Amino acid sequence: VQLQASGGGLVQTGGSLRLSCAASGSTSDYYAIEWFRQAPGKEREVISCISSSDSGGRTYYADSVKGRFTISRDDAKNTVYLQMNRLKPEDTAVYYCAADRSNYWYCSQLVYDYFGQGTQVTVSS
């Protein structure tokens, strides 16, 4: 499967962005999708994931984004979205999506095999 992340940009503190992860090359509803981010000088941080539709589309959020970010999937469009609200300067990073072909319920415990290119999110103070 090939993944294409998009939707990043420059936004002020408190603003919103919606990232998209479009999958091609395979049936996306069998895949769990993860979003992670990488900021300069910081470790990679997994921020959210969603299990496959066959396993109920269960979601996970890191504490740092819980209550502000929402992950969702539209299998008809082969796309997973990450709605990011109340953005903070510390959310500034390159955001990546990854996929794993699995029906396991707990997407946060999967090892992801496919990766898309990143999209830059910059939040100004």
Side-chain angles (χ1 to χ4, degrees), residues 20-93:
S20 298
C21 177
S24 61
S26 186
T27 305
S28 67
D29 54 330
Y30 294 108
Y31 286 87
I33 301 291
E34 171 186 273
W35 285 98
F36 64 94
R37 63 189 181 188
Q38 182 87 55
K42 295 185 179 181
E43 293 186 357
R44 186 176 87 169
E45 180 187 15
V46 174
I47 55 173
S48 184
C49 64
I50 186 166
S51 67
S52 69
S53 294
D54 279 5
S55 59
R58 296 166 185 261
T59 60
Y60 159 85
Y61 298 97
D63 288 343
S64 58
V65 306
K66 198 172 294 182
R68 300 187 297 123
F69 291 11
T70 303
I71 192 170
S72 61
R73 64 189 304 147
D74 184 342
D75 290 331
K77 296 182 179 180
N78 289 346
T79 301
V80 169
Y81 303 100
L82 185 68
Q83 178 67 44
M84 307 188 297
N85 298 328
R86 291 185 282 138
L87 283 161
K88 306 174 182 180
E90 51 264 44
D91 294 319
T92 296

